């Protein structure tokens, strides 16, 4: 069955450093991969989308890579700030509706 | 432009009671979705509607029914609530077709079944 794994439940980093979150998947061939941010008590908010034929996508301090050979996406936040603290979800879209990973809770410590 | 709205925000039910969660979107999206989110389980799709007049089961449809009332509204009904249905429920909407369109989520309904 399809499986999505986000590398860890929680990640703590120092302000100013680059946060790197990992999303791995098996038994799936997604056409698109998306990343969302979720703050406590709120619904997820879309951040970035990357297509299967794209290697990298950037938006301000965010960067996403997509390696269909390794079946992995990396999500980077450069110059992280305490306001970046949230849970980040990866989601895959292919022949089935969007499938979400369980998320990684990022804490940026000042 | 309110985006995706959900009512109610909070609800407590007794086992066996029924209720309907309401969702509406004002972005003229064709597709709408219902998810539940539980600690350690992530977001799981209950039902979705790719277009007005169609509905399909997701990963965890048992115990739920849905109605796509019109293009704007998509409701989720619990006919006989069970404690296992205690969860946070999110409605979402998106465009349809090729393009991998992002989903827009509502604020959620926190449901407790005792």
């Amino acid at each position: 069955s399809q499986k999505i794994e986000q590398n860890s439940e929680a990640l703590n980093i120092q302000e100013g450093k680059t946060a790197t979150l990992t999303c791995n998947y098996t038994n799936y061939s997604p056409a698109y991969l998306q990343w969302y941010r979720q703050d406590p008590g709120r619904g997820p908010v879309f951040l970035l989308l990357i297509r299967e034929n794209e290697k990298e996508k950037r938006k301000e301090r965010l960067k996403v890579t997509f390696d269909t050979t390794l079946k992995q996406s990396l999500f980077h936040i450069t110059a992280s700030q305490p306001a970046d603290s949230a849970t980040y979800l990866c989601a895959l879209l292919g022949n089935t509706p969007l499938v979400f990973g369980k998320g990684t809770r990022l804490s940026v410590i000042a | 432009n309110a985006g995706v709205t959900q009512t109610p925000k909070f609800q407590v039910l007794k086992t066996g009671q029924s209720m309907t969660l309401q969702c509406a979107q004002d972005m003229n999206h064709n597709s709408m979705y219902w998810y539940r989110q539980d600690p350690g389980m992530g977001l799981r799709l209950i039902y979705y509607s790719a277009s007005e007049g169609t509905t399909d089961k997701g990963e965890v449809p048992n115990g739920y029914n849905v109605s796509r009332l019109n293009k704007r509204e998509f409701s989720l009904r619990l006919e006989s609530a069970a404690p296992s249905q205690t969860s946070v429920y999110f409605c979402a909407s998106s465009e349809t077709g090729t393009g991998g369109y992002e989903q827009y989520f509502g604020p959620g309904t926190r449901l407790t079944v005792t």
Side-chain angles (χ1 to χ4, degrees):
Chain A
S1 61
Q2 299 165 0
K3 196 173 179 183
I4 304 172
E5 287 186 347
Q6 295 193 239
N7 59 326
S8 56
E9 280 193 30
L11 180 66
N12 297 327
I13 65 163
Q14 210 70 30
E15 182 178 8
K17 301 292 186 185
T18 296
T20 299
L21 284 64
T22 304
C23 178
N24 295 295
Y25 59 93
T26 56
N27 297 326
Y28 203 66
S29 296
Y32 306 93
L33 190 145
Q34 301 178 359
W35 283 89
Y36 290 77
R37 168 183 173 140
Q38 186 174 23
D39 291 289
R42 308 191 75 161
V45 174
F46 172 79
L47 295 174
L48 278 169
L49 174 151
I50 187 165
R51 294 173 173 77
E52 61 178 339
N53 60 352
E54 296 177 316
K55 296 293 185 189
E56 183 179 299
K57 202 79 167 285
R58 291 175 186 262
K59 179 182 176 183
E60 298 172 352
R61 294 184 295 112
L62 308 180
K63 184 177 87 171
V64 172
T65 62
F66 192 11
D67 189 326
T68 55
T69 302
L70 290 178
K71 296 186 181 296
Q72 181 181 81
S73 174
L74 299 179
F75 177 79
H76 306 274
I77 306 175
T78 58
S80 59
Q81 305 164 0
D84 295 325
S85 298
T87 295
Y88 292 86
L89 309 171
C90 72
L92 306 181
L93 180 64
N95 292 329
T96 57
L98 209 58
V99 179
F100 283 86
K102 295 179 183 179
T104 295
R105 188 173 65 253
L106 175 68
S107 297
V108 181
I109 303 160
Chain B
N1 190 334
V4 179
T5 57
Q6 293 182 235
T7 54
K9 285 187 167 49
F10 301 92
Q11 184 72 49
V12 179
L13 290 178
K14 294 188 188 305
T15 297
Q17 287 185 318
S18 62
M19 79 161 295
T20 299
L21 281 64
Q22 306 287 354
C23 174
Q25 52 93 8
D26 62 3
M27 294 172 281
N28 202 36
H29 286 160
N30 284 315
S31 297
M32 297 185 73
Y33 312 83
W34 276 106
Y35 294 90
R36 61 178 290 173
Q37 188 173 40
D38 304 290
M41 298 298 293
L43 275 165
R44 292 182 293 169
L45 184 64
I46 304 171
Y47 271 95
Y48 67 102
S49 171
S51 62
E52 189 178 351
T54 68
T55 60
D56 285 287
K57 295 178 181 179
E59 181 185 355
V60 289
N62 291 344
Y64 305 95
N65 286 302
V66 290
S67 295
R68 183 75 182 266
L69 305 169
N70 47 55
K71 191 171 186 179
R72 288 188 65 246
E73 298 172 288
F74 189 37
S75 63
L76 178 71
R77 183 159 178 84
L78 286 69
E79 291 291 352
S80 179
S84 61
Q85 294 178 305
T86 293
S87 188
V88 181
Y89 291 85
F90 288 102
C91 178
S93 71
S94 73
E95 296 284 2
T96 305
T98 59
Y101 297 107
E102 67 265 31
Q103 293 190 5
Y104 295 81
F105 284 81
T109 295
R110 282 142 190 83
L111 175 67
T112 301
V113 183
T114 60

